[in-house]
Amino acid sequence: MRILVANDDGYLAPGLAALAAACEGLGEIDIVAPEQNASGTSNSLTLNRPLSVYVAANGYRYVNGTPSDCVHVALTGLLDARPDLVVSGINNGANMGDDTLYSGTVAAAMEGYLFGIPAVAFSLVEKGWSHLQSAQRVARALLEQLVPTLAAGGGAMPFLLNVNIPSRSDAERLPWRITRLGRRHASEAVIRQTSPRGDPIYWIGPAGDAREAGEGTDFHATASGAVSITPLQVDLTDHATVPAWHARLCGH
Ligand code: MN
């Protein structure tokens, strides 16, 4: 059993060490993470310059690139053997609803999934690392459920799970719920300032509040004291509207 650990908060983030600790003893572990915090970089790959891989004093490898770069480089040449599982996180803050489209944490896991490898993204709901040890125990418990099947069978269909863990001291005693992604309101307004040189500059504003947060969503689960586990897919096709678009645009 080989496990590749990545994240988007950078190789020095406490959440990465927590996830690596959660994997300990479950297999051979490789850690490849971004050199700098790359939150919000989604699935971007660095194509306009080469990437370098460095080894930190603790053995973690880090890349001067994005989360997707890390997993891509790891899978396509850096690692001696293909991992059986890719895990990402534990992220500093939730990745629920529309966040998943922007998330580097989810993207790192998704890069593994795109290569046909089962993958799990872990996020701690509140920013600031409070109760990270409890989240680590949740990650451990989930991996203990998943790993034996992977080690035994292999060959099973790859999956991509998005796990959000409430920031609570009793997180390991919370129930697990299989959820769907909720929706957020549109992001809040950009913050305009003036640079020291007098030019206008813009800070991307915070994400919007939850809009679709009803029963069954990730927002609802974490708000009501459960660990949210959302199985994700990559196909963005709006299958339901394909016939209508065909009739509207291809009928002549
Ligand atoms: Mn992050």
Side-chain angles (χ1 to χ4, degrees):
M1 185 74 196
R2 293 175 170 273
I3 304 173
L4 172 61
V5 185
N7 77 347
D8 79 349
D9 293 326
Y11 76 103
L12 296 172
L16 182 69
L19 186 53
C23 293
E24 224 163 83
L26 297 176
E28 282 182 53
I29 302 168
D30 282 291
I31 297 162
V32 185
E35 180 173 26
Q36 298 187 331
N37 191 321
S39 297
T41 54
S42 189
N43 298 85
S44 59
L45 290 173
T46 301
L47 303 178
N48 60 349
R49 59 175 175 82
L51 296 165
S52 297
V53 181
Y54 307 94
V55 183
N58 62 1
Y60 292 10
R61 277 180 279 198
Y62 61 96
V63 178
N64 58 344
T66 66
S68 295
D69 287 334
C70 293
V71 175
H72 195 95
V73 167
L75 297 182
T76 58
L78 179 64
L79 299 184
D80 295 329
R82 178 183 165 95
D84 304 291
L85 176 69
V86 175
V87 294
S88 176
I90 299 171
N91 189 56
N92 185 17
N95 279 305
M96 302 191 286
D98 308 341
D99 303 343
T100 50
L101 290 173
Y102 299 97
S103 167
T105 303
V106 174
M110 194 180 290
E111 191 69 13
Y113 177 69
L114 289 171
F115 277 83
I117 301 170
V120 187
F122 293 96
S123 301
L124 187 54
V125 166
E126 278 169 37
K127 275 196 158 87
W129 305 120
S130 62
H131 308 301
L132 179 60
Q133 297 307 307
S134 298
Q136 176 184 320
R137 288 191 281 272
V138 173
R140 174 73 186 196
L142 184 66
L143 292 170
E144 283 178 351
Q145 293 282 317
L146 295 174
V147 162
T149 327
L150 297 175
M157 287 291 284
F159 53 79
L160 174 57
L161 298 180
N162 184 39
V163 180
N164 282 274
I165 304 166
S167 306
R168 291 169 51 152
S169 59
D170 61 349
E172 68 262 44
R173 288 191 292 280
L174 299 177
W176 300 353
R177 282 202 203 129
I178 306 303
T179 56
R180 67 177 188 277
L181 298 181
R183 298 293 312 275
R184 284 192 187 278
H185 288 282
S187 291
E188 292 177 30
V190 74
I191 299 151
R192 186 187 155 121
Q193 296 178 330
T194 303
S195 83
R197 296 191 181 87
D199 300 315
I201 54 173
Y202 300 89
W203 293 91
I204 298 290
D209 290 332
R211 175 161 58 98
E212 213 283 82
E215 187 101 38
T217 65
D218 43 8
F219 291 115
H220 187 273
T222 54
S224 55
V227 173
S228 169
I229 303 172
T230 311
L232 300 180
Q233 62 181 5
V234 172
D235 182 1
L236 296 177
T237 310
D238 187 357
H239 290 279
T241 64
V242 165
W245 281 110
H246 181 82
R248 183 170 166 186
L249 298 177
C250 307
H252 52 83

